[in-house]
Amino acid sequence: MTHLAPLLALQAAASPPTVVPADTAWMLVSTALVLLMTPALAFFYGGLVRSKSSLNTMMMSFAALGIVGVVWALVAYSLAFGDGGANNAWIGGLGNSLLGHVGVEAKGTIPHLVFFAFQGTFAIITAALISGAVVERMRFGPYLAFLVLWSLLVYAPVAHWVWGGGWLMTRGVLDFAGGTVVHINAGISALVAALVLGPRKDYGRQAILPHNVPFVLLGAGLLWFGWFGFNGGSALAANELAGLAFTNTFLAPMATMVVWILLDYFRTGHATAVGGATGIVVGLVAITPAAGFISPMGALALGAIAALPSYFAIVWRSGTRLDDSLDVFAGHGIGGTTGALLTGVFCLKAWNSAGADGLLAGNPAQLGIQALGVATSLAYAGGMTFVILKVMGLVTALRAAPRTEGLGMDVSQHGEEAYSSGEGSILVMPDAIPAVAPATALEPQTAAR
Amino acid sequence: MTHLAPLLALQAAASPPTVVPADTAWMLVSTALVLLMTPALAFFYGGLVRSKSSLNTMMMSFAALGIVGVVWALVAYSLAFGDGGANNAWIGGLGNSLLGHVGVEAKGTIPHLVFFAFQGTFAIITAALISGAVVERMRFGPYLAFLVLWSLLVYAPVAHWVWGGGWLMTRGVLDFAGGTVVHINAGISALVAALVLGPRKDYGRQAILPHNVPFVLLGAGLLWFGWFGFNGGSALAANELAGLAFTNTFLAPMATMVVWILLDYFRTGHATAVGGATGIVVGLVAITPAAGFISPMGALALGAIAALPSYFAIVWRSGTRLDDSLDVFAGHGIGGTTGALLTGVFCLKAWNSAGADGLLAGNPAQLGIQALGVATSLAYAGGMTFVILKVMGLVTALRAAPRTEGLGMDVSQHGEEAYSSGEGSILVMPDAIPAVAPATALEPQTAAR
Amino acid sequence: MTHLAPLLALQAAASPPTVVPADTAWMLVSTALVLLMTPALAFFYGGLVRSKSSLNTMMMSFAALGIVGVVWALVAYSLAFGDGGANNAWIGGLGNSLLGHVGVEAKGTIPHLVFFAFQGTFAIITAALISGAVVERMRFGPYLAFLVLWSLLVYAPVAHWVWGGGWLMTRGVLDFAGGTVVHINAGISALVAALVLGPRKDYGRQAILPHNVPFVLLGAGLLWFGWFGFNGGSALAANELAGLAFTNTFLAPMATMVVWILLDYFRTGHATAVGGATGIVVGLVAITPAAGFISPMGALALGAIAALPSYFAIVWRSGTRLDDSLDVFAGHGIGGTTGALLTGVFCLKAWNSAGADGLLAGNPAQLGIQALGVATSLAYAGGMTFVILKVMGLVTALRAAPRTEGLGMDVSQHGEEAYSSGEGSILVMPDAIPAVAPATALEPQTAAR
Amino acid sequence: MKLIVAIIRPDRLNEVLEALYRADVRGLTVSRVMGHGGETDRVETYRGTTVKMELQEKVRLEIGVSEPFVGITVNAILGSARTGEVGDGKVFVLDVDQVHRIRTGERDEGAVTPATPAMA
Amino acid sequence: MKLIVAIIRPDRLNEVLEALYRADVRGLTVSRVMGHGGETDRVETYRGTTVKMELQEKVRLEIGVSEPFVGITVNAILGSARTGEVGDGKVFVLDVDQVHRIRTGERDEGAVTPATPAMA
Amino acid sequence: MKLIVAIIRPDRLNEVLEALYRADVRGLTVSRVMGHGGETDRVETYRGTTVKMELQEKVRLEIGVSEPFVGITVNAILGSARTGEVGDGKVFVLDVDQVHRIRTGERDEGAVTPATPAMA
Ligand SMILES: Nc1ncnc2c1ncn2[C@@H]1O[C@H](COP(=O)(O)OP(=O)(O)O)[C@@H](O)[C@H]1O
Ligand SMILES: Nc1ncnc2c1ncn2[C@@H]1O[C@H](COP(=O)(O)OP(=O)(O)O)[C@@H](O)[C@H]1O
Ligand SMILES: Nc1ncnc2c1ncn2[C@@H]1O[C@H](COP(=O)(O)OP(=O)(O)O)[C@@H](O)[C@H]1O
């Protein structure tokens, strides 16, 4: 995405770069849209778990808004997008840490701060995505620590390699809005986390059902809405490219949902709501790397094709002992991989001169380049996540004790219940109640008869 | 709406038309906003039905996002907005089918693809609106087939007549954002569908109550939010006209809600929440055709007036055997008619030179023209919907068997429940579990004491 | 905020002011975003109360959309932003009442109508905020009357003083997006309302628990999303200043949430979800007055600091007889005060030449000026709210009778329940059912076997 | 004094309430329960997980009656709750030692009104 | 051994629990139920539909006690659940044949502790 | 005829259902309840408010059986519901005067099938 910024800057504005109001308007909106995706994810995930762990699941997303956001501002942004000097192929420098030299002056055609915030929303949701693999068992404290470490050690470097001028970018890997940086990264990390933590104690023994499917649909709807900023905003301007990325984000999930519903129907005899919501998200994941590089009809095809690997991966996974609870790997890891590779198949310079021609345009090389990006991210993110969790496991327990797990994570981790009737709950009075209560001092209104 | 496009293009850009970034930014946002309206509708409708059919009701909206969206891209867009050549008065051509000649070059002042996507969101929600009349009894498969047929045979032609250069457009019918094309179309089709399918088995025998009124309020809130894109975006540019349409969309529902709450209060002694939400939606429906043609004070008046016919239509309908379950006709059919006619009363060239003067400005003729648009849509959409459903009824059963209906549509149509506790649900183990379970292979973390 | 408008107009557009499309696009979006905040508030508040009063709580926000919106259009806007002539220091004139001279011509760089609508969304949510202090006991009718009086007698004048060219504006009080006008105003009024009405009958006797914490999180997420329009839109243009305000609105709540979670953890041993949501809102409140005047790192600091006073105010308040039920004063009154004062500490001309230097930049005077704004708003809004409620109390009972309160406000005030199963509910048949029922006339489809 | 406990189908509740009303049985307590019996299980699928729902939604009625009302009440329920399909439910009649009306402190017959059938 | 079943108002539950606690009654089971009796029905309106709510929310207590506790328990409930308004509810006392404590397998008296009032 | 009422832990429900199934006990009714007993209370905090949760989630089983099944059923429950931790619950056995199967009108033994253990 950012490797387009200079080009766009040239097209849209004179050098030295100046802030273009129209582009700024669109990027402000896009940033707000992507920020909304994390609460949306909280509902998509929260609806899929049992009621007794729903708040914990939602908080795993909301907490990322706080923790990852702060880490991003303090140092991660600089590692991802700062100038790394000699080591720039590998990692950014610290020049922009503590928001140094990040002000309102133009980066491309928008204020640098807006670019910083836009990228921050990506870092936040990517980390939050992982939580789907460890819900209902991972302790909240260690999870927060994991968010910090993962953002610094996995997200920042990979984002730098692909978008920040690192080696994958120079290799010409195409990743318009984060198929590799966001979805493959999060997906493989989720898989590893699920393996390291092990399955929920009830997994495979009892039926664990979504406690609120409407929340899942709400999450999917808001995710699609926010994704227009995610992909459309990755053009970094309100131009034709944004229009293309936006429309492809409009078309691909439609095709995926339709195919998904048909697969559901033929396998189980029913088109399920959870399936429809999942299909939408998988379609959005798959179009993410391709959005600005392929044709709209290509997006329809890509969306339709992308349903298959993720669908069958979910079906297969559910029969194993692998408790990637909300199928983050099948949805984001495999969906992102499908999208990244198909980008190398469908991409056309005719639609984006800053892009490349792909397999169908007679350039199989691009497919290889895409595969390199995929493989790198799978290997690095998977390995590093394994190391982070194993090391953390040496200093603290990552998961709750079985009895705690049985009680539910909401009560055990947050001391709260998602839905309480208040029955049989006794108020614990604080020690001191002021003698003269203000309310009585001002004799309350007499009530209606 | 699109009959303004050329004019705006002239005002805002030089010929040959070029993409204007500011207009593109606004139209990208507007398209995202209108897309969000369909999930919003899913909640508005889903909250109004019984829990046992809530997922099915929501899926009737979500499915439209997939099915209608794909149909729109393949052929419906071309039928509605393509050049129909000699027959252009009646129907568009196939030149834009499969997105032929629909690219990033400017249509008006925005990329053609963005115009296509914006219009697509209208086609989607219009079809979804109809579902409110047949909830809790129509089988899902036939419903999906109906979506396809209706979009092709009803939506596309009517959209062409009014917006695509068809005969109603040349007659000077004013429909800024879809009072006729969207709301009257959907409303009358809903009425016919309710008559053809017949009432729910419990209708008029038992009390059928909304299972989740907060969802109804959530839907209404998100619908209003999205409607700013619906009406404001129908200016197709970020200009004064957009500002006018936007502000009228801000004012009218306020007046409708206030009047609705008062009517509720005087009739039942209570201002209800369902009533407040319904009032908002009716106000939005009524202002839709008028948004860009009348003054803000006119919008307040229109909103206030529009509450009356829809309100009393709902009260009357509930006493009959006509099970238009969620009052789609009273809300959208009658609300849209009120708005379309009042457009002919309040419209002023002073506010939109591309519009017309109405009755109050001494031009009663416009009211007649508006009536023509209303009558045409009522007759054509009503008749065609009747034919579609009767023909479908010959090949398959449109509604579920009474016992299935009693069981609830969620379990019978989707094999799911909206809210499940998992109690007494036995896991059906898939045949094969891999001997070496990965989780155990990697010895899970020992848990906290 | 509006005191920047002229300046921006000068920067961005030539005189006579003309409408700038990019600024218009951003302000249309911002207005829609702020409008969405009121439904969001309905969920934030509605989730925190008991199920039996949840609809009433939500309707207290939704009703403001109707009532306050209409009052705003009719006269309040004119009082706040109209030209007050000789008395302009105190109150605006009536020149813009009934939207007189409010059209599509430019005010600053956007259509005047858009400015009107944008400001209207502020008036609406400010009034709605107060409801959090009187939920579960205030009668709905008197509440609606209070909304009208409060908007006219409190909101309009204070908005005029600070933003409409009144005396506080000339004194140089900095309030970028409403720390004083919105949050302190609403907070102190809520405190007074809670004192006048007195505590809920169960308050301090029984545990009153949030019935739906996911709704609280949904509300918080949508509030944050909308707040980007609230603060970012207060630049009234899509420029660098908007980027600064936007980014500060992105950063501050993150710091507040993190600190809040830590405080929760150290006090109760758990990081709660309600706490996380509350922290986000408090951070948003605190950054509101400062958003366009301080540096991003300043915003992080301000957000972190702002958690403390509000947090401990809530803890303290809960031990008293003061039933400010949803802690509007602690959250908005104290949060707004913290923000307004810290604006005087952190503000820098270097970031906004239209602003001022603050304490840290060696200008303690600004802190004094800020304190003047705070004190004025506390005194005026508090006193006037007291008078309004006491006078209303003379003509009608403000709160429901204890038995009604026990039954719940949903049934008593709205004749509805939020979640009904329909069990044991008997349909009350309307007198007349048409002999020939239309459905039967058209012999319904025979159903599937 | 007897306590009659009946398990019925949710969608027969209104009919049963009406039948009891006609039989002059005024007081009763209702609760949502789930039942297992001869009905065939529903199958549901959530992503890769397929589950068999062994419990069906039922409604439980609890009615304290004086001896003369036992037959009347049981028959009212049997008549109004039957559909003839598996899953109609059961009626249990239990002996009661004491009944108290909380409001008045009345005991036994006095606590369940009317104590004798109107037409008797 | 007796099983005491009480139907009370939801908003009296805390008082009743406290009274039972003071009466040394430790074990009990609570459930939400809906009751029909002498109370006047609520009327609600949803759009054009008007409905009469015939069932009121109530809470059901189920308490297994040894003979010496029967009177104490019933009186604790009667005393704490009463408001004097129609709708206060009922108390039923049923005979119990056996009681088992699942954890220990203890039977009857042993299964409900304490078996005899402290002050006795 | 007896009516067996058991209060168990929610997370033992599946095991208990399976044990009953193996014991040939086919019909039963289940409901969610909340119980108070010897378990330590949970503490929760909502903003400034701290509360003690005195009630634990439990599941209530109601099973009508013919005499020969009483022991079998009780033992099946005792065996499958026990964890050994405080909070396992109770089993009550009540006498039943009559049982009716609504669908057929069959009475008593006939209403609860099977009336005698398979292996008997
Ligand atoms: N032995 C029993 N004890 C308690 N409840 C029972 C018993 N048998 C059946 N039930 C209840 O009655 C319902 C219907 O019983 P079932 O055997 O399915 O149909 P039928 O009563 O028509 O033979 C069950 O769902 C269950 O709730
Ligand atoms: N005969 C009965 N059997 C079972 N429950 C009853 C019976 N009569 C009343 N109840 C329960 O007691 C509640 C209060 O009874 P009601 O007659 O309304 O008031 P009161 O007990 O004060 O006369 C009812 O809502 C119902 O739940
Ligand atoms: N006397 C009683 N009457 C009715 N239910 C009881 C009684 N005692 C316990 N229970 C139920 O059994 C559950 C477990 O009882 P408890 O005393 O906590 O543990 P245990 O049975 O292992 O001693 C309680 O939560 C309650 O639901």
Side-chain angles (χ1 to χ4, degrees), chain A residues 22 195-196 199 204 207 210-214 217-218 225 238 240 246-247 254 257 270-274 296-297 319 321 397 399-401, chain B residues 19 21-22 28 31-32 43 55 62 65-66 69 98-99 104 113 412-414 416 418-420 425 427 429-430 433 437-439 445 448:
Chain A
L195 289 171
V196 174
H211 88 288
N212 194 319
V213 179
L217 290 170
L218 177 63
F225 179 61
E240 288 83 350
F246 186 104
T247 306
M254 294 173 174
M257 178 174 25
H270 291 117
T272 67
V274 170
M297 287 307 289
R321 289 292 302 155
R399 60 182 294 171
Chain B
V19 169
L28 290 174
T31 307
F43 278 78
L55 284 184
F62 271 85
L65 281 167
L98 304 180
L99 291 174
V104 295
L113 277 171
S412 66
Q413 305 299 299
H414 304 288
E416 287 171 304
Y419 316 96
S420 38
S425 54
L427 196 58
M429 280 318 228
I433 302 278
Q445 282 292 330

Side-chain angles (χ1 to χ4, degrees), chain B residues 12 35 95 106 140 146 158 160 173 186 194-195 208 266 308 312 376 419 437:
Chain B
L35 184 118
F140 196 61
F146 174 77
V158 177
H160 183 76
V173 169
L195 289 170
I208 303 178
F266 288 120
L308 298 154
F312 290 106
T376 307
Y419 316 96

Side-chain angles (χ1 to χ4, degrees), chain B residues 14-418:
Chain B
S15 52
T18 57
V19 169
V20 175
D23 295 341
T24 303
W26 172 235
M27 292 311 297
L28 290 174
V29 177
S30 294
T31 307
L33 286 170
V34 185
L35 184 118
L36 182 63
M37 288 173 69
T38 298
L41 183 69
F43 278 78
F44 184 73
Y45 278 177
L48 285 170
V49 299
R50 290 172 294 188
S51 162
K52 66 180 177 179
S53 299
S54 54
L55 284 184
N56 174 249
T57 301
M58 291 185 171
M59 280 303 281
M60 282 181 150
S61 290
F62 271 85
L65 281 167
I67 305 270
V68 178
V70 170
V71 170
W72 184 252
L74 298 183
V75 53
Y77 171 70
S78 191
L79 293 178
F81 291 97
D83 179 356
N87 312 326
N88 201 43
W90 305 111
I91 190 72
L94 292 175
N96 295 129
S97 56
L98 304 180
L99 291 174
H101 310 98
V102 181
V104 295
E105 70 290 348
K107 179 178 175 81
T109 61
I110 61 173
H112 193 164
L113 277 171
V114 175
F115 178 78
F116 152 81
F118 181 67
Q119 292 299 338
T121 57
F122 282 62
I124 289 165
I125 191 161
T126 306
L129 281 169
I130 303 169
S131 64
V134 297
V135 291
E136 303 201 274
R137 58 198 187 283
M138 187 169 188
R139 294 172 57 223
F140 196 61
Y143 170 76
L144 296 183
F146 174 77
L147 284 181
V148 174
L149 295 172
W150 192 88
S151 302
L152 290 172
L153 300 177
V154 180
Y155 186 81
V158 177
H160 183 76
W161 298 346
V162 181
W163 291 335
W167 67 282
L168 287 172
M169 179 163 161
T170 48
R171 281 276 198 316
V173 169
L174 296 181
D175 186 6
F176 192 75
T180 302
V181 177
V182 174
H183 297 290
I184 299 178
N185 246 2
I188 184 66
S189 302
L191 176 66
V192 170
L195 289 170
V196 172
L197 266 83
R200 288 165 289 183
K201 80 184 206 343
D202 298 338
Y203 177 74
R205 294 184 179 73
Q206 289 179 22
I208 303 178
L209 306 185
H211 89 288
N212 194 319
V213 179
F215 280 176
V216 179
L217 290 170
L218 176 64
L222 289 175
L223 279 169
W224 197 344
F225 179 60
W227 225 293
F228 286 118
F230 199 91
N231 291 357
S234 290
L236 298 173
N239 54 14
E240 287 83 351
L241 182 58
L244 174 65
F246 186 104
T247 306
N248 287 344
T249 307
F250 171 82
L251 291 169
M254 294 173 173
T256 317
M257 177 173 29
V258 170
V259 173
W260 201 281
I261 283 179
L262 291 173
L263 290 170
D264 249 359
Y265 180 79
F266 288 120
R267 185 175 69 92
T268 73
H270 292 117
T272 68
V274 170
T278 308
I280 289 171
V281 173
V282 168
L284 289 163
V285 167
I287 195 62
T288 296
F293 297 120
I294 72 176
S295 72
M297 287 307 289
L300 269 180
L302 184 149
I305 297 167
L308 298 154
S310 291
Y311 185 91
F312 290 106
I314 289 177
V315 172
W316 171 82
R317 203 273 313 155
S318 311
T320 70
R321 289 290 304 153
L322 167 56
D323 185 15
D324 175 1
S325 312
L326 307 184
D327 285 303
V328 182
F329 182 70
H332 298 268
I334 294 181
T337 300
T338 310
L341 296 178
L342 290 181
T343 302
V345 173
F346 288 111
C347 63
L348 285 171
K349 270 189 148 34
W351 284 91
N352 181 347
S353 55
D357 280 327
L359 183 63
L360 296 187
N363 174 24
Q366 188 59 38
L367 186 51
I369 299 172
Q370 295 302 100
L372 170 68
V374 171
T376 307
S377 160
L378 286 172
Y380 179 77
M384 187 58 85
T385 300
F386 184 77
V387 172
I388 294 172
L389 288 172
K390 282 299 187 184
V391 170
M392 283 180 60
L394 298 178
V395 293
T396 179
L398 299 181
R399 60 183 294 171
R403 286 194 64 249
T404 320
E405 202 184 316
L407 178 62
M409 301 299 276
D410 291 358
V411 169
S412 66
Q413 305 299 299
H414 304 288
E416 287 171 304
E417 287 170 74

Side-chain angles (χ1 to χ4, degrees), chain C residues 270-285:
Chain C
H270 292 117
T272 68
V274 170
T278 308
I280 288 171
V281 172
V282 168
L284 288 163
V285 167

Side-chain angles (χ1 to χ4, degrees), chain D residues 7 34-39 58 85-90 92, chain F residues 27-29 62-64 101 103 112:
Chain D
I7 313 293
M34 309 196 76
H36 181 69
E39 289 174 280
K58 302 288 168 185
E85 309 256 345
V86 173
D88 279 352
K90 303 273 183 280
F92 301 97
Chain F
L28 50 81
T29 299
E62 197 165 41
I63 316 175
R101 182 191 299 268
R103 172 167 49 99
V112 293

Side-chain angles (χ1 to χ4, degrees), chain A residues 4-400:
Chain A
L4 297 179
L7 293 154
L8 298 170
L10 292 177
Q11 294 160 18
S15 52
T18 57
V19 169
V20 176
D23 295 341
T24 303
W26 171 235
M27 292 311 297
L28 290 174
V29 176
S30 294
T31 306
L33 286 170
V34 185
L35 185 117
L36 182 63
M37 288 173 68
T38 298
L41 183 70
F43 278 78
F44 185 73
Y45 278 178
L48 285 170
V49 299
R50 291 171 293 188
S51 163
K52 66 180 178 178
S53 298
S54 54
L55 284 184
N56 175 248
T57 301
M58 292 185 170
M59 280 303 281
M60 282 180 150
S61 290
F62 271 86
L65 281 166
I67 304 271
V68 178
V70 170
V71 170
W72 185 250
L74 297 182
V75 54
Y77 171 71
S78 191
L79 293 176
F81 291 97
D83 177 357
N87 311 327
N88 201 44
W90 305 111
I91 191 71
L94 292 175
N96 295 129
S97 56
L98 304 179
L99 291 173
H101 310 98
V102 181
V104 294
E105 70 289 350
K107 179 178 175 81
T109 61
I110 60 173
H112 193 163
L113 277 171
V114 176
F115 178 79
F116 153 81
F118 181 67
Q119 292 297 339
T121 58
F122 281 61
I124 290 166
I125 191 161
T126 306
L129 282 170
I130 302 170
S131 65
V134 297
V135 291
E136 303 202 273
R137 58 200 187 281
M138 187 169 189
R139 293 170 59 221
F140 195 62
Y143 171 76
L144 296 183
F146 174 76
L147 283 181
V148 173
L149 295 172
W150 192 87
S151 302
L152 289 171
L153 300 177
V154 180
Y155 187 81
V158 177
H160 183 75
W161 298 346
V162 181
W163 290 336
W167 67 283
L168 286 172
M169 180 162 161
T170 49
R171 282 277 197 317
V173 170
L174 295 181
D175 186 7
F176 192 74
T180 302
V181 177
V182 173
H183 298 290
I184 299 178
N185 246 1
I188 184 65
S189 302
L191 177 65
V192 170
L195 289 171
V196 174
L197 267 81
R200 288 165 288 182
K201 80 182 201 356
D202 298 339
Y203 177 74
R205 294 185 180 73
Q206 288 179 22
I208 302 178
L209 306 184
H211 88 288
N212 194 319
V213 179
F215 281 174
V216 178
L217 290 170
L218 177 63
L222 290 175
L223 280 169
W224 197 344
F225 179 61
W227 225 293
F228 285 118
F230 198 92
N231 291 358
S234 291
L236 298 172
N239 54 13
E240 288 83 350
L241 181 59
L244 174 64
F246 186 104
T247 306
N248 287 344
T249 307
F250 171 82
L251 292 170
M254 294 173 174
T256 317
M257 178 174 25
V258 170
V259 174
W260 202 281
I261 284 179
L262 291 173
L263 290 170
D264 250 358
Y265 180 77
F266 289 120
R267 186 176 69 93
T268 73
H270 291 117
T272 67
V274 170
T278 308
I280 289 172
V281 173
V282 168
L284 289 163
V285 167
I287 195 62
T288 295
F293 298 121
I294 72 175
S295 73
M297 287 307 289
L300 269 180
L302 184 148
I305 297 167
L308 298 154
S310 292
Y311 185 90
F312 291 106
I314 288 177
V315 172
W316 172 80
R317 203 275 311 156
S318 311
T320 69
R321 289 292 302 155
L322 168 55
D323 185 16
D324 174 1
S325 313
L326 307 183
D327 285 301
V328 183
F329 182 71
H332 297 269
I334 294 182
T337 301
T338 310
L341 296 178
L342 289 181
T343 302
V345 173
F346 288 111
C347 62
L348 285 171
K349 269 187 149 32
W351 284 91
N352 180 347
S353 55
D357 279 328
L359 182 63
L360 296 186
N363 174 24
Q366 188 60 39
L367 187 51
I369 298 172
Q370 295 303 99
L372 170 67
V374 171
T376 307
S377 160
L378 286 173
Y380 179 77
M384 186 59 86
T385 301
F386 184 78
V387 172
I388 294 172
L389 288 172
K390 282 301 189 183
V391 171
M392 283 180 61
L394 299 179
V395 293
T396 179
L398 299 181
R399 60 182 294 171

Side-chain angles (χ1 to χ4, degrees), chain A residues 433-434 437-440, chain C residues 198-201 203-205 317 319-323:
Chain A
I433 301 280
T440 48
Chain C
R200 288 165 289 183
K201 81 184 206 342
Y203 177 74
R205 294 184 180 74
R317 203 275 313 155
T320 69
R321 289 291 303 153
L322 168 56
D323 185 15

